[in-house]
Amino acid sequence: MPGKTVRESRISMSQLMLPQDANPAGNVHGGVVMKLIDTTGGVVAMRHVRGNVVTASIDRLDFLTPVFVGDLVHVRASLNLVGSSSMEVGVRVETENIHTGELRHAVSAYLTYVALDENGKPMTAPALISETAEDLRRRDEAEQRRKVRLGERKKHRG
């Protein structure tokens, strides 16, 4: 199976935040933002394997700034690392005030997806080809996060 480059599956999605996305104070629910993160990350993983994936984990989420009704939310995601069947996708969320053009970094997250075959069983994912210095940096950082995740999993199962 031939490898694929980071740019082949990279994606950017945007969505306007509406009143149904928010609490009475006008702040968008964290769960709405989390769903956008998982959807965008999942699309990246699906584009890479050209098949189904399942979310295996989401690393820590820190909301750096609130997201408000009326903000245009931009979600950018790309692959950082591919194992045998698992893939780490990095996701960055920015909000844009449509009236002023101000952009704010709202959230970043790393998600792990597992590629699934037609029977819903893990399958081999294509290798990831890192083309740029940025791709390589992100891959190296992802390898360190993977080691931490595997160590945590061992501790929880122990």
Side-chain angles (χ1 to χ4, degrees):
M1 173 181 321
K4 295 182 179 179
T5 63
V6 173
R7 68 183 153 79
E8 287 182 81
S9 61
R10 183 177 289 134
I11 193 167
S12 179
M13 297 172 66
S14 299
Q15 184 169 321
L16 182 65
M17 295 293 98
L18 300 172
Q20 68 265 20
D21 300 319
N23 63 26
N27 295 336
V28 172
H29 291 288
V32 170
V33 176
M34 289 168 45
K35 185 176 188 309
L36 289 171
I37 289 169
D38 193 24
T39 298
T40 307
V43 169
V44 166
M46 290 172 70
R47 287 182 83 191
H48 186 73
V49 301
R50 293 294 175 196
N52 289 329
V53 301
V54 65
T55 308
S57 72
I58 300 175
D59 284 11
R60 179 178 169 154
L61 282 175
D62 289 316
F63 290 87
L64 307 172
T65 186
V67 180
F68 301 108
V69 169
D71 282 348
L72 183 60
V73 173
H74 303 285
V75 187
R76 294 175 179 82
S78 61
L79 272 171
N80 294 331
L81 182 68
V82 173
S84 57
S85 64
S86 67
M87 299 161 280
E88 185 194 90
V89 176
V91 180
R92 179 181 172 97
V93 178
E94 293 180 336
T95 64
E96 178 184 348
N97 180 311
I98 293 180
H99 301 288
T100 67
E102 177 192 9
L103 288 173
R104 297 182 320 274
H105 178 198
V107 183
S108 288
Y110 300 103
L111 298 90
T112 302
Y113 296 91
V114 174
L116 301 176
D117 66 16
E118 60 279 351
N119 298 312
K121 302 294 182 196
M123 68 174 207
T124 302
L128 184 63
I129 301 168
S130 300
E131 298 178 295
T132 68
E134 177 76 4
D135 293 346
L136 292 169
R137 180 190 64 78
R138 291 172 64 93
R139 183 201 64 202
D140 292 345
E141 291 173 359
E143 286 173 349
Q144 294 303 312
R145 283 188 296 274
R146 183 174 188 270
K147 288 178 186 174
V148 170
R149 279 192 297 268
L150 292 174
E152 287 293 316
R153 188 182 310 159
K154 264 187 186 176
K155 193 174 9 174
H156 291 299
R157 288 184 179 168

